[in-house]
Amino acid sequence: MSQNIIEIEQLTKVFYTDEIETHALSGVHLTIGRGEYVAMSGPSGCGKSTLLSIVGLLDTPTSGRYTLNGKEVANLNFSDRSRIRNQEIGFIFQSFNLIGDLTVAENVELPLTYRSGMPASERKKKVQEALERVNMAHRMRHYPAQLSGGQQQREAVARALAGSPSILLADEPTGNLDSKNGEAVMKLLQELHAEGSTICMVTHDPRFAAHAERQIHLFDGKVVAEGEMTQLLAEV
Amino acid sequence: MNALIQDVRYAVRQLLRGPGFAITVIVTLALGIGANSAIFTIFDQVMLRTLPVQKPKELVRFEWTGAYSGSASSFGGDTGNYFSWPMYKDLRDRNTVFAGILAADRSSVGISWHDQAENKDAELVSGNYFDVLGLRPALGRLMTVSDDTAKDANPVAVLSYDYWKTRFTAAPDVAGKTLLINGHPFTILGVAPEGFHSAIGGYTPGVFLPVSMSDIAMPWTAPRKDLTNHQSIWLTLVARLKPGVTAQQAETTMEPLWYALRAQELTGYRTVSERFKDKFLNHTHLFVKDDSTGFNPERQDLRMPLLVLMGMVGVLAAMCAVNVATLLLLRAAGRVREISMRYALGAARSRIVRQLLVEGAVLGVCGAIAGVVLSPLIASVLVRIISNVGDQDQTPYTASVDLRVLGFTLLLSVAVTLAFSVAPALQFIRPRLAESLRQSSGTASKRSQLFRKIAVGFQIALTVLLLGGAGLFLRTLSNLRGQALGFQTAHVLSWQVDPTLAGYGDDRTAQVEMNVLDEVRAIPGVLQASGTTDPEIAGNQNGSNFTVQGHVAPEEEDMNFEIPCITPGYFATLRQPLLAGREFTAADVKGAPRVAVVNLTFAKRFYGTPQNALGRLIAEGGGSDVKLDTTIVGVVGDVKHQNLRDTPRGTVYRPYLQQTLPGGMELYALTDQSPETVESMIRERIHRLDSKLVVYQMRTLDEQMDISLANERALAFLAMSFSLLALLMTAVGLYGVLAYATAQRTREIGVRMALGAQRSAVVMLVLREMALTAVIGVAVALPAAFAISRLLTSQLYGVQPGDPLTLAACVGVSAVMVVLAAAIPARRAASVDPMLALRSE
Ligand SMILES: Nc1ncnc2c1ncn2[C@@H]1O[C@H](COP(=O)(O)OP(=O)(O)OP(=O)(O)O)[C@@H](O)[C@H]1O
Ligand SMILES: [Mg+2]
């Protein structure tokens, strides 16, 4: 098995809407190695979320190669993508996206229920571990609406962890949090990284980006070097 | 006031903004309310409306129970509703509690006016008829006691208002003129008041004739000597209570008189066993019953079907209210934020609730108006089916909306509107502002979700219930239609001619009928033609007592048998199997030895086998001095005679040509192609025979079968329509709820997909919610359907209430409906883009 979890070559994504073509990504090269913690940043509209969604198999690229864990995944059908997403990817969203009707424990269990053949006892065990990992085990029977924003995002992290994915993808995980809660979530991610998790995070905040061991800059649908980035930004 | 107008204006604007929603609600209401007013229109006329006479609440009717022997002629209901003329006179003259008692019978007669003859319903009435009812003439004068004095002495007639309007073009000088009744001149006395049809509910005679003229009006009854015969019962009696007397008091007071009259009557019987005597005298009772709505034998038959239909449309109204409430709630839920904002901006609660109620009221008014417009359309279907008997213009029922129906509709609409507009208003009486403003839009409140589920479950349950009923009626109809009748209806045409209308005397009727049959037989394509005095599946029952040689019958044994008089070839025409012996031939005429053909039931009862019956002697009438003058020459299979639910009754067929004054016949022709093709040919031939002969009631036996099944058809058709309507309503409600829920949960669905949910899992998510509701709904409905269907037993035929096959089919249909209604929301859920999860709100 390759050391790289993610290998992306010459990836493009074009959105066609009402005769307008939006080239959201134009030839992205990206590799993420096992255990790496990568932060992705760039100006609004540069294609960060688009790239993340393709990495997370929520969307398919217009062209290019994408190998996840050594397997070509760029052109899988919906059903296969769902399955791989469920097993290999853990998502952390800006707006938490917890399901209001389900308890904390049920939310965390949710991705496991989409995995066929996992017995209920094992699911319970994994839920328990994940919630303990984020210090939310005592809130298991609460509903999301009864939690603070920071707690909700910790619960969301637990949900992403529960299925033991190959990589955690986070799109502005602190975007809806105040700085104190934001710090706490960043600290949690750092701990997870220290324990061996692979993380790819999109963030605007340079302070948080500094937590990562590698930073990627996106500009106008392309990955650019840091120096180049400063220059480009100055030009705008 | 101004504020209200403003509210209405705002409500209308709100509704116009979503015309699809408004139209859905208004159509739902229109169908629900329209169906209710339609059924009520008929229900009211058949069941509730009192006779248009003076103080109808004072009218009562007599009914008796007890042993009886003699001839009974009825136009419906059981013999206990009918009395002999002598008994009538005794009751009338010897009571102390009634202001008056009238007697009446129905018959149809030939009426000639200005040389134009037609067959028309008539009512034979006692002279005091109009007096007792307290009616005033529209023209001329009405009949009085002095117009009904002695047998054949009073050739006078009163016209009904409608008949005067149509047939006599409302001529103002009609009183004193002469018309012909069955060829005999009668003087027109005057015209009955407008709106009055008959003391017999649901009957619309053209003329009223004195009972004393019954031999002319009904010549075939002449041998019965009805005016002096205690043992011939044929009249229905209506009495007016003296002021202050109740029906119960009257019944008690009449008791001694009734026993005295019975004892007196028994002295006229020839031979009586002690047992019969005891039963006749001691086990008898005279009932005095309310008759404010008029005695209507059809009411007995229509009562249950109409009650069932009223129940069904009642359920439909409830469903309608729940359905619209659900739709309004969904809409209101979409406006939670808007309304919460209004509250937040300081709007008074009363203001907001009123606004919601006004919106409901606007919908309710539109729905009610549309319902009233729709009502006559639905009612006319019912009127058309149930008054299939007789001509269209004779139907006593109308489909049009009157004040009573309007009142009913108004009440119903208010109730329904209140029911459906209160639900959404309640939701906003105690708004959970903080929650609804803070809540992420991804989830709906649990409470309103629960209400929606209960509402949908309720609708599914009621739909299964309605479908269950409709299914049973449909099976009943198909069982009745599909069963063996004992004869074949296919390719048989039936009709009547009335020779008396063409001026033939009663003594020539038989010859004319035979000539007509000869003409018809000569038509190419006609295989057989014959006639009977006792038409099949036309509701006729026409019996007489018989003596069977070698069989000593105690008085109480039922020796009354059906007595059709038929022409040669009758069994061949109807393809009724001959089991032994022979059919009648042209040789079986007056003067030849008297012969009879009996049916299987008769043969088995007295002789064991058909073969054994041949050559045996019987005689009409009873007593020791009866002359056994009739030989059985043939045995035929049993038939459904009176109607399709008939159980076979002993029957003695006799040759038409062997009777004195046998009267008119129902004629049948068996054709080799579809019988309609020879219709015009038959009319033409009969016209050629004598242009004055009028052919009427020409129809195929299959059509006759439809007529006989009118109530069953009406019930099955309307019940099915209402059930399908309910099904549609439920589907709309279910679709609305699911579509809304899916839209509300779009983000949640996106998140689930992002977490790896397959499309099938998402579809299941949408379906599971309603599947459980549906299962609970069905689980509640099935025992209820089982219990309620027992009430329908009397309406069913060949199928048990709670028939598992029918119920299973209903559940199946409902399940298909649930799946279809859920299909679009489920598809929409499956096509949610998981990318949604990445977008922040
Ligand atoms: N579904 C879509 N259809 C059309 N255009 C899209 C779609 N999704 C994204 N885009 C466009 O693609 C470009 C990249 O969008 P993306 O959401 O990836 O930006 P981003 O870097 O995440 O921005 P932000 O920092 O504001 O979140 C934008 O120009 C956006 O308008
Ligand atoms: Mg983004």
Side-chain angles (χ1 to χ4, degrees):
Chain A
M1 194 197 277
S2 151
Q3 260 313 103
N4 291 335
I5 288 185
I6 285 167
E7 290 178 8
I8 282 173
E9 281 170 44
Q10 203 53 43
L11 194 83
T12 68
K13 178 70 181 176
V14 187
F15 291 109
Y16 300 91
T17 37
D18 296 337
E19 289 154 34
I20 301 169
E21 281 185 22
T22 312
H23 291 261
L25 299 173
S26 22
V28 171
H29 290 267
L30 176 67
T31 50
I32 297 177
R34 195 169 298 281
E36 255 195 305
Y37 184 177
V38 179
M40 209 189 301
S41 56
S44 181
C46 68
K48 304 182 294 291
S49 295
T50 305
L51 180 55
L52 201 73
S53 69
I54 292 173
V55 171
L57 294 176
L58 290 176
D59 208 352
T60 49
T62 308
S63 69
R65 279 168 47 85
Y66 173 21
T67 318
L68 176 65
N69 263 338
K71 192 167 180 269
E72 179 61 50
V73 293
N75 295 305
L76 294 176
N77 66 22
F78 186 93
S79 162
D80 287 336
R81 277 191 284 136
S82 294
R83 195 170 34 76
I84 294 174
R85 195 157 64 225
N86 181 260
Q87 286 168 1
E88 309 281 354
I89 315 275
F91 277 109
I92 302 161
F93 305 102
Q94 176 176 350
S95 47
F96 322 147
N97 281 333
L98 298 169
I99 290 166
D101 283 345
L102 304 180
T103 62
V104 167
E106 285 165 345
N107 264 292
V108 175
E109 192 182 2
L110 196 59
L112 303 180
T113 61
Y114 294 132
R115 214 171 270 191
S116 56
M118 185 180 279
S121 56
E122 194 184 337
R123 289 208 301 265
K124 292 275 170 296
K125 208 177 104 224
K126 284 188 180 277
V127 168
Q128 184 72 32
E129 282 170 11
L131 282 172
E132 270 163 14
R133 183 64 204 80
V134 301
N135 277 327
M136 288 289 296
H138 59 296
R139 296 289 196 148
M140 219 143 103
R141 281 177 227 305
H142 286 220
Y143 283 91
Q146 297 165 326
L147 303 179
S148 75
Q151 287 169 327
Q152 288 191 39
Q153 193 59 305
R154 269 152 63 200
E155 184 193 345
V157 172
R159 180 175 67 184
L161 284 176
S164 326
S166 306
I167 184 166
L168 288 176
L169 300 180
D171 194 352
E172 313 240 13
T174 58
N176 283 8
L177 298 175
D178 58 33
S179 58
K180 185 162 154 279
N181 277 313
E183 285 287 357
V185 168
M186 291 319 292
K187 193 160 161 275
L188 181 60
L189 290 183
Q190 242 179 329
E191 286 166 21
L192 292 172
H193 170 237
E195 289 159 22
S197 293
T198 313
I199 299 173
C200 177
M201 172 180 73
V202 168
T203 182
H204 266 125
D205 197 322
R207 282 182 299 136
F208 294 149
H211 285 284
E213 59 186 10
R214 178 150 75 97
Q215 289 194 40
I216 297 172
H217 301 280
L218 229 60
F219 190 85
D220 214 1
K222 286 198 180 76
V223 178
V224 294
E226 193 169 357
E228 203 180 337
M229 184 74 180
T230 337
Q231 189 191 333
L232 284 167
L233 283 176
E235 278 172 19
V236 171
Chain B
M1 196 60 212
N2 250 340
L4 195 66
I5 292 173
Q6 206 186 327
D7 276 349
V8 170
R9 212 175 286 149
Y10 181 76
V12 171
R13 210 164 350 119
Q14 280 283 320
L15 293 173
L16 285 180
R17 201 172 294 162
F21 168 82
I23 289 170
T24 309
V25 169
I26 291 171
V27 167
T28 305
L29 288 173
L31 291 171
I33 291 172
N36 269 277
S37 354
I39 299 303
F40 181 78
T41 305
I42 309 301
F43 187 81
D44 180 45
Q45 291 174 64
V46 177
M47 304 299 296
L48 304 180
R49 205 175 288 177
T50 54
L51 289 173
V53 300
Q54 242 180 45
K55 298 192 182 147
K57 296 277 177 211
E58 286 180 356
L59 294 184
V60 291
R61 183 167 54 82
F62 295 126
E63 239 180 82
W64 62 277
T65 55
Y68 141 87
S69 163
S71 89
S73 154
S74 91
F75 52 83
D78 48 54
T79 33
N81 291 299
Y82 299 92
F83 295 81
S84 69
W85 178 254
M87 174 62 90
Y88 159 68
K89 285 201 295 185
D90 287 333
L91 289 171
R92 181 189 66 191
D93 300 338
R94 292 168 64 178
N95 80 78
T96 54
V97 282
F98 300 111
I101 305 180
L102 65 83
D105 184 28
R106 320 188 333 183
S107 177
S108 72
V109 295
I111 300 180
S112 293
W113 173 249
H114 288 339
D115 285 334
Q116 285 288 311
E118 77 167 328
N119 199 276
K120 184 74 190 169
D121 280 335
E123 187 166 352
L124 284 149
V125 300
S126 55
N128 62 356
Y129 182 85
F130 294 101
D131 250 7
V132 172
L133 296 176
L135 297 173
R136 295 174 175 286
L139 191 80
R141 68 174 182 89
L142 298 174
M143 203 184 295
T144 64
V145 183
S146 61
D147 297 309
D148 184 28
T149 52
K151 184 164 148 41
D152 300 342
N154 313 102
V156 293
V158 171
L159 304 178
S160 77
Y161 189 86
D162 290 345
Y163 195 48
W164 172 64
K165 279 280 262 227
T166 53
R167 185 82 198 282
F168 298 81
T169 58
D173 55 349
V174 75
K177 298 248 165 95
T178 300
L179 50 63
L180 298 182
I181 302 284
N182 289 347
H184 298 266
F186 274 61
T187 306
I188 299 171
L189 294 177
V191 178
E194 186 175 5
F196 173 78
H197 296 302
S198 165
I200 300 163
Y203 191 54
T204 51
V207 291
F208 300 87
L209 307 172
V211 167
S212 57
M213 302 306 286
S214 66
D215 278 6
I216 287 165
M218 307 188 289
W220 62 93
T221 66
R224 297 199 312 228
K225 303 195 169 44
D226 277 340
L227 295 183
T228 52
N229 187 351
H230 280 270
Q231 283 178 266
S232 171
I233 57 177
W234 56 294
L235 293 159
T236 175
L237 308 190
V238 177
R240 182 178 291 278
L241 292 164
K242 281 185 177 161
V245 181
T246 67
Q248 191 49 52
Q249 285 164 349
E251 189 169 311
T252 316
T253 316
M254 288 300 280
E255 210 171 301
L257 176 60
W258 175 250
Y259 284 122
L261 292 176
R262 289 282 279 186
Q264 191 185 325
E265 187 172 317
L266 194 65
T267 58
Y269 278 52
R270 277 177 294 197
T271 46
V272 207
S273 72
E274 278 308 310
R275 253 187 79 187
F276 181 76
K277 195 169 161 182
D278 176 57
K279 275 178 82 176
F280 191 87
L281 293 177
N282 301 324
H283 297 93
T284 180
H285 190 73
L286 181 73
F287 296 93
V288 176
K289 294 188 170 173
D290 170 61
D291 194 46
S292 51
T293 56
F295 171 54
N296 180 352
E298 274 138 39
R299 186 184 298 138
Q300 296 309 310
D301 302 334
L302 287 172
R303 205 182 86 93
M304 262 313 270
L306 281 176
L307 279 175
V308 168
L309 289 175
M310 270 317 273
M312 286 189 140
V313 290
V315 168
L316 208 56
M319 284 186 63
C320 201
V322 172
N323 193 276
V324 173
T326 317
L327 295 179
L328 281 175
L329 267 181
L330 291 180
R331 209 173 88 102
R335 287 163 65 188
V336 165
R337 288 214 163 179
E338 172 212 323
I339 288 171
S340 300
M341 275 310 284
R342 284 162 173 260
Y343 268 125
L345 296 176
R349 169 188 299 169
S350 61
R351 187 64 224 268
I352 282 173
V353 169
R354 196 178 67 199
Q355 180 59 47
L356 289 165
L357 287 178
V358 165
E359 271 185 50
V362 167
L363 288 169
V365 167
C366 292
I369 292 174
V372 167
V373 171
L374 199 64
S375 160
L377 299 180
I378 304 174
S380 67
V381 174
L382 187 55
V383 167
R384 211 175 309 139
I385 305 179
I386 65 174
S387 49
N388 221 334
V389 193
D391 307 320
Q392 273 301 310
D393 61 341
Q394 284 188 342
T395 170
Y397 307 117
T398 163
S400 57
V401 172
D402 64 5
L403 274 180
R404 288 167 65 98
V405 176
L406 223 49
F408 170 84
T409 309
L410 187 69
L411 282 180
L412 178 80
S413 310
V414 168
V416 168
T417 304
L418 276 180
F420 73 65
S421 22
V422 160
L426 277 183
Q427 201 183 21
F428 292 112
I429 279 186
R430 222 166 285 133
R432 295 191 272 182
L433 282 183
E435 203 170 306
S436 45
L437 286 176
R438 214 184 66 176
Q439 201 176 40
S440 70
S441 64
T443 51
S445 106
K446 287 230 154 174
R447 200 173 48 160
S448 58
Q449 264 182 42
L450 185 68
F451 173 85
R452 278 175 226 139
K453 279 186 192 172
I454 291 174
V456 169
F458 180 72
Q459 292 187 57
I460 291 176
L462 292 182
T463 302
V464 170
L465 215 58
L466 290 182
L467 273 176
L472 289 175
F473 295 139
L474 215 56
R475 298 218 28 210
T476 294
L477 184 64
S478 103
N479 287 345
L480 284 169
R481 276 188 155 284
Q483 69 181 338
L485 301 178
F487 62 92
Q488 311 282 324
T489 56
H491 287 229
V492 178
L493 193 66
S494 77
W495 73 96
Q496 292 178 19
V497 291
D498 192 339
T500 53
L501 287 182
Y504 293 96
D506 305 333
D507 51 331
R508 292 176 63 199
T509 300
Q511 194 48 54
V512 174
E513 299 272 10
M514 296 312 283
N515 291 347
V516 166
L517 285 177
D518 284 342
E519 280 294 328
V520 171
R521 269 186 212 110
I523 296 171
V526 172
L527 304 175
Q528 295 279 351
S530 56
T532 176
T533 54
D534 193 13
E536 308 292 350
I537 48 173
N540 276 56
Q541 194 163 15
N542 198 353
S544 192
N545 273 13
F546 274 81
T547 304
V548 174
Q549 187 186 30
H551 180 83
V552 187
E555 272 282 0
E556 65 269 25
E557 183 175 345
D558 180 16
M559 292 295 283
N560 198 284
F561 303 105
E562 194 71 18
I563 44 159
C565 297
I566 58 173
T567 68
Y570 183 74
F571 302 120
T573 309
L574 294 188
R575 285 153 294 171
Q576 184 176 346
L578 189 66
L579 305 176
R582 64 169 175 92
E583 273 220 47
F584 298 134
T585 67
D588 297 316
V589 290
K590 236 174 281 174
R594 295 179 71 88
V595 291
V597 170
V598 298
N599 71 349
L600 185 61
T601 299
F602 188 99
K604 271 191 174 157
R605 176 164 156 200
F606 298 107
Y607 314 111
T609 65
Q611 205 57 45
N612 228 348
L614 299 180
R616 305 294 187 114
L617 293 178
I618 55 172
E620 187 170 7
S624 53
D625 53 345
V626 71
K627 201 164 135 257
L628 291 159
D629 57 358
T630 307
T631 311
I632 297 174
V633 295
V635 178
V636 289
D638 291 334
V639 297
K640 301 265 173 194
H641 171 68
Q642 193 180 10
N643 56 53
L644 296 170
R645 292 173 189 254
D646 232 6
T647 47
R649 169 172 194 236
T651 304
V652 179
Y653 298 89
R654 291 178 301 175
Y656 179 72
L657 288 176
Q658 223 159 43
Q659 314 303 311
T660 23
L661 297 183
M665 280 196 295
E666 177 93 9
L667 303 178
Y668 296 117
L670 174 64
T671 60
D672 59 359
Q673 274 149 34
S674 92
E676 286 88 346
T677 55
V678 296
E679 267 184 25
S680 58
M681 190 78 93
I682 289 177
R683 286 179 191 282
E684 196 180 300
R685 291 292 177 104
I686 294 173
H687 187 78
R688 214 167 60 192
L689 188 67
D690 181 339
S691 61
K692 291 205 291 300
L693 282 174
V694 182
V695 174
Y696 61 99
Q697 289 187 359
M698 186 176 259
R699 51 174 83 109
T700 65
L701 261 189
D702 286 324
E703 285 163 357
Q704 178 62 41
M705 193 149 88
D706 279 349
I707 291 171
S708 166
L709 287 174
N711 291 349
E712 283 85 355
R713 275 196 309 148
L715 194 55
F717 175 77
L718 288 172
M720 222 359 127
S721 310
F722 295 150
S723 313
L724 293 180
L725 197 58
L727 198 67
L728 192 69
M729 248 189 228
T730 307
V732 168
L734 186 57
Y735 167 78
V737 168
L738 280 181
Y740 175 79
T742 312
Q744 287 275 297
R745 296 172 73 174
T746 306
R747 187 177 186 87
E748 176 191 331
I749 291 167
V751 171
R752 283 171 182 267
M753 284 180 152
L755 296 179
Q758 295 287 349
R759 283 198 173 117
S760 56
V762 170
V763 168
M764 275 315 293
L765 183 75
V766 173
L767 292 187
R768 198 178 52 207
E769 213 160 290
M770 278 307 146
L772 186 67
T773 310
V775 166
I776 292 174
V778 170
V780 170
L782 281 183
F786 194 77
I788 292 174
S789 65
R790 301 187 148 267
L791 299 176
L792 307 178
T793 310
S794 68
Q795 300 301 305
L796 303 182
Y797 188 86
V799 58
Q800 292 301 311
D803 174 60
L805 194 69
T806 309
L807 289 181
C810 297
V811 173
V813 169
S814 308
V816 168
M817 179 275 296
V818 169
V819 168
L820 286 182
I824 297 172
R827 267 189 61 142
R828 209 174 288 158
S831 61
V832 166
D833 186 351
M835 291 274 286
L836 262 180
L838 284 184
R839 310 241 158 81
S840 58
E841 287 169 36

